[in-house]
């Protein structure tokens, strides 16, 4: 049965010390409250402001941000664990959490001056972004004027800054380089364009810039962002092994956490329901008596286990230190592979539960829709990951994408 919206929103838990274990427990303590907010987030097509505030208070958005900027400075395993727990309560909330945490970390690849502008006055700064270079920048004294449109900026209504991809051109129009630019959200126009069947609460709006001035210290080359820490002066004593890595190794595996949570929630829902209703047109009193249901539940649980093993192996590899191209290729492939296992598991579970799963009041249909959208993010397309990994296995040095 779908969670009922409470008459008054309960107060979110008060944050405690920020150890990795405590950060996970903060997320777990929020689960009942987040389930109660899920319907509202779906109806409003944005997670409620109170949920955003609760995630901020729990330190979720700052999980990967360096301590010197007010962050938690955790590894990717902690982010995966936290997002998995959040995903068990609500897919959109978990996706919002991961998107902001990862983009906040990406913003820390910019020079120190830019980092201080973001976090110096506001340790709770929230960064959204779209790295596809769909904007154009033209050289002016001291920086660039940037114009463009960028789709799919998760949590855009709550962002204070945005990291956006652009093709920068010199004065005579010659292409110079692909770059990321860091822009205050207040200088951008936001269009509510996210109308999707799943992950409705992620508010992945379109951002528009019209001749926005971006100073040089808020520009970072896309290849640098994809593979290295950028020009920050933070040394090895300032940052753990995860943080010096750029976008490429981090993005894909981080996206799997919310999917794992959705799969866990679907399994728990079907297991509980199996003890109540009979499978139609059978002699069984309840679904749990059916050997067919038992076999499918086992298959789904093992598919989720496989996904989890791949996902955590990937982030553990990154947390252990710098990974070369071959390992980055494997991580990319593992992420897409894990996502497909979650999709297969959720489909299997819906087969066990039957057509009732698609009733508006049944939480399974939202889990199914959310998983279907999340697993098809560009960073999780399995064919791309397999191609990247296959080329690496064969020693073929041929680029496939912009960030791997």
């Amino acid at each position: 049965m779908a969670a009922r919206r409470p008459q008054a929103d309960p107060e979110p838990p008060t944050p405690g010390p920020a150890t990795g274990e405590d950060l996970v427990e903060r997320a777990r303590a929020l689960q009942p409250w987040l389930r109660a907010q899920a319907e509202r987030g779906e109806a409003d097509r944005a997670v409620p402001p109170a949920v955003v505030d609760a995630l901020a208070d729990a330190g979720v958005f700052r999980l990967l941000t360096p301590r010197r900027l007010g962050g938690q400075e955790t590894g990717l395993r902690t982010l995966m664990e936290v997002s998995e727990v959040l995903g068990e309560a609500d897919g959109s909330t978990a996706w919002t959490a991961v998107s902001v945490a990862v983009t906040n970390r990406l913003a820390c690849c910019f020079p120190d001056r830019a980092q201080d502008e973001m976090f110096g006055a506001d340790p709770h700064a929230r960064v959204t972004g779209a790295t596809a270079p769909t904007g154009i920048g033209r050289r002016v004294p001291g920086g660039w004027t940037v114009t463009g449109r960028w789709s799919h900026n998760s949590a855009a209504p709550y962002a204070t800054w945005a990291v956006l991809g652009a093709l920068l051109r010199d004065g005579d129009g010659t292409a110079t380089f692909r770059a990321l630019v860091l822009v205050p959200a207040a200088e951008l126009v936001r269009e509510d364009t996210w109308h999707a069947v799943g992950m409705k609460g992620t508010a992945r709006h379109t951002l528009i810039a019209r001749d926005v001035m971006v100073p040089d210290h808020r520009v970072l080359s896309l290849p640098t962002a994809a593979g290295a820490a950028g020009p920050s002066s933070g040394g090895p004593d300032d940052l753990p092994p995860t943080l010096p890595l750029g976008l490429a190794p981090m993005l894909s595996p981080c996206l799997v956490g919310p999917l794992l949570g959705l799969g866990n929630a679907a399994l728990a829902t079907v297991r509980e329901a199996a003890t109540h209703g009979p499978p139609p047109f059978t002699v069984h009193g309840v679904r749990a008596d059916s050997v067919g249901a038992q076999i499918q539940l086992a298959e789904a649980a093992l598919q989720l286990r496989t996904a989890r093993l791949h996902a955590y192996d990937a982030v553990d590899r990154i947390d252990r230190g710098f990974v070369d191209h071959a390992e980055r290729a494997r991580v990319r492939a593992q992420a897409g592979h894990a996502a497909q296992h979650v999709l297969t598991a959720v489909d299997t579970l819906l087969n066990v539960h039957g057509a009732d799963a698609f009733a508006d009041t049944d939480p399974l249909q939202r889990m199914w829709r959310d998983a279907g959208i999340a697993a098809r993010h560009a960073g999780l397309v399995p064919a791309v990951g397999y191609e990247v990994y296959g080329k690496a296995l064969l020693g073929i040095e041929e680029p496939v994408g912009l960030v791997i």
Side-chain angles (χ1 to χ4, degrees):
M1 179 177 289
R4 293 181 180 178
R5 183 179 301 170
Q7 295 298 315
D9 293 341
E11 290 295 323
T14 301
T19 66
E21 294 81 3
D22 286 337
L23 288 163
V24 175
E25 287 310 308
R26 289 182 196 177
R28 196 176 306 281
L30 284 168
Q31 281 184 332
W33 183 69
L34 293 175
R35 289 190 184 100
Q37 308 306 306
E39 277 186 49
R40 184 182 308 172
E42 178 142 303
D44 294 345
R45 292 182 300 106
V47 294
V51 170
V52 175
D53 291 342
L55 295 176
D57 290 342
V60 173
F61 296 142
R62 294 176 287 125
L63 284 173
L64 303 180
T65 305
R67 290 192 190 98
R68 73 176 187 84
L69 298 172
Q72 305 289 348
E73 202 173 294
T74 73
L76 295 190
R77 171 172 272 269
T78 298
L79 178 63
M80 180 79 76
E81 290 173 341
V82 167
S83 62
E84 181 177 0
V85 169
L86 293 174
E88 292 172 357
D90 178 45
S92 289
T93 296
W95 191 269
T96 297
V98 167
S99 297
V100 175
V102 171
T103 314
N104 274 16
R105 170 61 194 101
L106 177 59
C108 294
C109 292
F110 284 78
D112 287 349
R113 182 179 172 187
Q115 296 178 39
D116 292 339
E117 286 180 2
M118 279 185 297
F119 297 104
D122 181 12
H124 295 285
R126 294 186 289 268
V127 187
T128 187
T131 59
T134 57
I136 297 293
R138 300 193 180 279
R139 196 60 157 134
V140 295
W144 309 79
T145 57
V146 177
T147 297
R149 293 175 60 93
W150 296 266
S151 303
H152 308 313
N153 297 271
S154 297
Y158 306 114
T160 54
W161 289 81
V163 173
L164 305 169
L167 181 65
L168 302 185
R169 302 179 181 275
D170 60 21
D172 62 6
T174 304
T176 309
F177 60 95
R178 298 191 312 274
L180 299 178
V181 296
L182 185 61
V183 182
E187 297 180 12
L188 300 166
V189 175
R190 178 171 57 85
E191 286 188 359
D192 180 356
T193 53
W194 181 241
H195 299 269
V197 298
M199 287 290 181
K200 292 191 174 190
T202 55
R204 302 178 69 193
H205 296 174
T206 296
L207 296 178
I208 303 168
R210 299 188 179 98
D211 291 324
V212 171
M213 174 63 188
V214 181
D216 285 325
H217 67 274
R218 288 203 255 117
V219 175
L220 180 68
S221 77
L222 185 56
T224 297
S232 170
S233 61
D237 293 334
D238 300 321
L239 305 175
T242 299
L243 293 178
L245 293 175
L247 178 65
M250 292 173 51
L251 177 61
S252 295
C254 289
L255 298 175
V256 182
L259 276 162
L260 295 177
L262 287 164
N264 295 342
L267 177 61
T269 300
V270 173
R271 286 179 64 186
E272 195 279 331
T275 63
H276 299 300
F281 303 106
T282 72
V283 297
H284 299 300
V286 291
R287 287 184 176 87
D289 295 333
S290 166
V291 173
Q294 295 162 8
I295 290 173
Q296 289 180 91
L297 278 171
E299 289 175 341
L302 290 172
Q303 287 158 352
L304 292 174
R305 180 65 176 166
T306 298
R308 200 169 191 273
L309 289 170
H310 275 289
Y312 278 92
D313 178 70
V315 294
D316 284 345
R317 285 173 174 272
I318 297 172
D319 279 346
R320 284 195 294 268
F322 183 77
V323 291
D324 60 15
H325 177 81
E327 282 209 292
R328 287 164 58 165
R330 175 175 171 175
V331 164
R332 173 65 177 81
Q334 284 182 293
H337 192 63
Q340 291 304 301
H341 274 286
V342 175
L343 283 185
T344 301
V346 171
D347 280 345
T348 300
L349 291 166
L350 264 69
N351 289 339
V352 175
H353 197 72
D356 287 346
F358 297 95
D360 287 342
T361 55
D362 196 306
L364 275 172
Q365 50 83 22
R366 184 171 63 243
M367 298 171 194
W368 174 68
R369 289 185 285 108
D370 286 350
I373 292 287
R376 290 171 174 86
H377 185 279
L380 294 175
V381 175
V384 174
Y386 298 157
E387 180 183 358
V388 168
Y389 188 35
K391 280 181 165 59
L393 289 171
L394 294 169
I396 299 174
E397 297 183 4
E398 179 181 315
V400 176
L402 295 177
V403 295
I404 184 67

